Amino acid sequence: MPVSMVGRADHLAELVRAWSQLGSTPLPVVITGAAGMGKSLLVAAALDAFTPRPDLVLSGAARLHTPAPYDWLAAVLSRRTLDLPLPPDALAWLAQLPDAPRERFAPDALLRLAVRAVRTMVGAGPAVLVVEDLHALDPASLNLIGELAVASEPPALLIVTSRPPETPVVARTLARLSGVPGAIRQHLGPLSPTDVASVLSEVYPSTSPAVAQAVHERTGGNPYWLTELLVAAGDEKSLVDEPLPEHLRLAGAGPAPDLTAREVEVLTCLAAGMSNKQVARSLGISIRTVTVHVSNLLRKTRSASRTEAALWAVHNLTSR
Ligand SMILES: Nc1ncnc2c1ncn2[C@@H]1O[C@H](COP(=O)(O)OP(=O)(O)OP(=O)(O)O)[C@@H](O)[C@H]1O
Ligand SMILES: [Mg+2]
């Protein structure tokens, strides 16, 4: 049920201004917030609102929970023809082509080539570079993003979204980006009761303030949970009156998830400190499938990290 974006007008305006005033150097924009707070929606809204329209948007996200080196760049390259002036072997490696030679490059050389690849794609610019979910990126990508942020060219808005950092290397990268002079730093918190009311009124025009208040409490102001509740409730009365569906049961600040049997198994493995590879092996499923389960688990348990999900498991799984 698509509803319009609420409560982020100031954030959006700041991004639009940054693009219209972009100078000749890269300008980092760091947007943090817990899972489902609306980071991706804000970036999409900003890209829509930018004037003049960006000629070039290079966008990538971590594609796996244990991504290969330079996963952000590989994601970007996967949507383009590989006609960059780089040594073909290195380009194949950076693009993660299946026939690429294995690790024959010195890390420093690769980093320089990765930076050059981005610069070549941007050309004279200006461009928008979007790094979604930096918290889940591999260290080489973090290095690359950090280098791009402090470089003297090209002219580009470097928009980064991240859940709150869980590892020192992610925290350091966010700090490095935020420390660039003029960098924009935004943190998305929960929606206010008024914002929640305005979302509700799009679907149910006559919603009372009391209902909006109750829904705000039930969802903790998290827009993802709000949209989930709207879908699950189906009608206005059910927003507060009817027992919530299993996966939206109240728990602490917000709804607790209903996990599938397989998700419980995966979560139990995470709580035991297993890597995705170990989980895959012990459950007899592919690593790719594990990453999908982990991704759903983070969202359902409203965890910012595997560690948090594991903690959630310790507190909640035993009583199930
Ligand atoms: N400000 C908002 N107003 C209305 N709906 C919103 C708002 N922000 C987010 N949503 C909705 O909430 C859901 C989650 O938003 P989004 O995917 O942007 O969150 P996110 O912060 O990127 O989460 P993740 O950390 O999982 O990537 C989407 O369905 C989105 O449309
Ligand atoms: Mg997102």
Side-chain angles (χ1 to χ4, degrees):
M1 180 172 324
V3 290
S4 37
M5 187 171 73
V6 301
R8 309 294 190 208
D10 292 348
H11 298 88
L12 183 60
E14 188 178 29
L15 299 180
V16 169
R17 200 163 49 240
W19 171 248
S20 69
Q21 297 174 353
L22 184 70
S24 58
T25 58
L27 181 69
V29 174
V30 180
I31 304 170
T32 50
M37 263 329 158
K39 302 178 291 294
S40 298
L41 184 66
L42 175 62
V43 172
L47 289 173
D48 266 353
F50 282 169
T51 45
R53 314 281 319 142
D55 285 333
L56 180 70
V57 178
L58 299 179
S59 179
R63 296 174 301 176
L64 296 170
H65 275 269
T66 44
Y70 293 106
D71 213 38
W72 177 77
L73 183 56
V76 167
L77 292 174
S78 70
R79 289 186 221 114
R80 303 174 54 95
T81 43
L82 291 180
D83 55 358
L84 300 173
L86 257 60
D89 274 5
L91 189 55
W93 197 88
L94 290 169
Q96 297 176 10
L97 300 185
D99 54 353
R102 286 216 151 252
E103 309 247 7
R104 283 199 298 113
F105 306 94
D108 281 1
L110 266 179
L111 180 60
R112 276 198 305 277
L113 289 171
V115 169
R116 204 209 296 167
V118 175
R119 283 197 184 164
T120 311
M121 284 187 275
V122 173
V128 183
L129 310 182
V130 180
V131 181
E132 277 270 23
D133 301 327
L134 177 122
H135 61 274
L137 274 176
D138 60 282
S141 292
L142 297 181
N143 239 339
L144 171 60
I145 307 304
E147 284 299 310
L148 290 172
V150 299
S152 56
E153 54 175 3
L157 203 59
L158 176 58
I159 304 179
V160 170
T161 69
S162 176
R163 293 183 188 172
E166 127 190 40
T167 61
V169 59
V170 169
R172 265 202 309 278
T173 307
L174 293 179
R176 190 177 182 195
L177 296 173
S178 307
V180 171
I184 292 174
R185 187 71 179 78
Q186 298 186 339
H187 183 76
L188 301 187
L191 299 178
S192 69
T194 317
D195 298 333
V196 169
S198 84
V199 169
L200 292 182
S201 68
E202 277 188 41
V203 187
Y204 305 112
S206 60
T207 315
S208 73
V211 168
Q213 184 63 40
V215 169
H216 182 261
E217 275 162 28
R218 288 190 131 182
T219 58
N222 181 300
Y224 171 71
W225 288 103
L226 177 58
T227 49
E228 287 284 288
L229 176 60
L230 277 168
V231 171
D235 61 51
E236 186 178 0
K237 192 164 171 299
S238 312
L239 288 173
V240 274
D241 283 359
E242 290 203 0
L244 287 170
E246 276 269 297
H247 77 293
L248 290 176
R249 264 171 311 153
L250 282 178
D258 183 43
L259 306 178
T260 65
R262 187 56 112 184
E263 284 167 352
V264 171
E265 283 178 320
V266 172
L267 189 51
T268 311
C269 294
L270 291 191
M274 288 163 94
S275 68
N276 285 358
K277 202 165 161 190
Q278 291 165 333
V279 176
R281 213 175 297 139
S282 77
L283 297 181
I285 54 181
S286 73
I287 295 183
R288 172 76 203 144
T289 306
V290 174
T291 64
V292 173
H293 286 310
V294 171
S295 173
N296 290 335
L297 280 168
L298 291 183
R299 202 186 264 291
K300 287 189 177 182
T301 62
R302 311 209 304 166
S303 303
S305 65
R306 301 163 64 93
T307 319
E308 238 180 64
L311 273 176
W312 186 95
V314 171
H315 291 300
N316 295 274
L317 279 189
T318 45
S319 58
R320 291 175 73 91

